Amino acid sequence: MRQRLSSEPDRYRGRRRVPTPPRSRYAAVVTTAFVGAGIVAIGANALPDAKSVNPSVLDELRQASVASQDAADRTDSADRSTRSERSDGKTAEQDLWLLPLHGYDFKSPYGMRWGKLHTGIDLVAPEGTPFKAIHAGTVTKAGWFGGYGYAVIVKHSDGTEAIYGHSSTLTVKEGQEVKAGDQLGLVGNTGHSYGSHLHLEIHVKGEPQDPVAWLKDRGVDIQFEDESFYGDVAPS
């Protein structure tokens, strides 16, 4: 093998690489234009230029949008009205006071009797006559209650309590929620009683009040068997 002398000129060392000519600016511009046109075409198919749409079609779209908004506004207004009516109805129910029964004789008012305080009123009625809650609340007692016989105690939302005594039968149980006008039991002659009647007491902070004055302040005249709120919210 012939060795190359160091002094022999390198026939390759002086060879120059012919550079590849750069991509034409014109080609780049054309390519970009084609890609951009494709994107614009796709966008144009999805969202047509409003100027290319018939004006009547735009008017119809605007009218449909206005009609849809009006319908939504009416629905929202109706929902608010319904919620308001429900709230008003619930408030009216909670404020309602009624007579405990009808067709009775008012006997033995609140006050001193036989040397001691008679802490309620007696409403004479035939045994088995249904009696009802005078106001909404929770039944805290339903059963035998000493001298009251079979009795029901209802605690109202304002903390006051109503006691219904001498029943023959009870139709509610302890813990039950009742509304004004709901039946609680039947008039009887149990406990310390001298005839068939309903004994009714009102207690405020554990102290008995005169049911006549208390109920009259709430639109119920129990002496004359009148309830002014009866027509506003009918009892169930």
Side-chain angles (χ1 to χ4, degrees):
M1 174 181 296
R2 188 171 70 90
Q3 294 183 347
R4 189 180 61 177
L5 299 177
S6 58
S7 60
E8 183 179 2
D10 189 348
R11 71 184 65 182
Y12 301 101
R13 183 173 298 174
R15 180 176 295 177
R16 297 178 58 189
R17 183 180 177 186
V18 179
T20 302
R23 188 174 296 177
S24 170
R25 291 184 181 180
Y26 173 78
V29 171
V30 170
T31 302
T32 304
F34 274 114
V35 173
I39 296 174
V40 171
I42 294 173
N45 289 332
L47 299 172
D49 189 351
K51 292 189 292 296
S52 66
V53 179
N54 191 309
S56 62
V57 175
L58 290 178
D59 289 340
E60 290 177 3
L61 292 174
R62 292 191 189 98
Q63 291 172 5
S65 176
V66 171
S68 176
Q69 185 61 45
D70 288 345
D73 291 343
R74 286 195 298 271
T75 300
D76 185 56
S77 178
D79 288 343
R80 287 197 301 270
S81 178
T82 300
R83 289 194 296 268
S84 177
E85 288 174 0
R86 287 176 183 169
S87 177
D88 291 345
K90 187 175 182 180
T91 301
E93 266 189 7
Q94 292 173 341
D95 291 341
L96 183 65
W97 292 80
L98 297 173
L99 293 167
L101 71 163
H102 293 276
Y104 56 82
D105 290 328
F106 182 90
K107 301 289 185 180
S108 300
Y110 175 91
M112 296 303 296
R113 185 179 68 173
W114 303 332
K116 59 184 298 185
L117 178 64
H118 182 232
T119 53
I121 56 176
D122 294 340
L123 306 176
V124 177
E127 187 167 345
T129 302
F131 66 90
K132 302 178 180 181
I134 60 175
H135 193 57
T138 304
V139 177
T140 57
K141 177 71 180 178
W144 188 264
F145 194 43
Y148 293 90
Y150 287 108
V152 176
I153 300 177
V154 176
K155 187 171 184 177
H156 311 134
S157 59
D158 61 2
T160 62
E161 296 175 297
I163 301 176
Y164 308 79
H166 308 312
S167 308
S168 62
T169 302
L170 305 179
T171 57
V172 293
K173 58 185 179 180
E174 293 178 8
Q176 183 175 335
E177 298 290 330
V178 295
K179 302 188 299 293
D182 284 351
Q183 182 174 316
L184 303 177
L186 304 178
V187 172
N189 187 27
T190 58
H192 297 166
S193 173
Y194 299 94
S196 178
H197 72 284
L198 175 69
H199 175 83
L200 176 66
E201 291 186 17
I202 301 292
H203 286 220
V204 178
K205 296 181 180 179
E207 296 297 325
Q209 306 292 317
D210 183 356
V212 173
W214 180 265
L215 291 173
K216 189 172 289 186
D217 287 343
R218 287 152 182 80
V220 177
D221 192 330
I222 201 163
Q223 283 183 299
F224 294 97
E225 197 176 328
D226 177 67
E227 46 194 7
S228 61
F229 290 139
Y230 186 86
D232 294 336
V233 179
S236 58

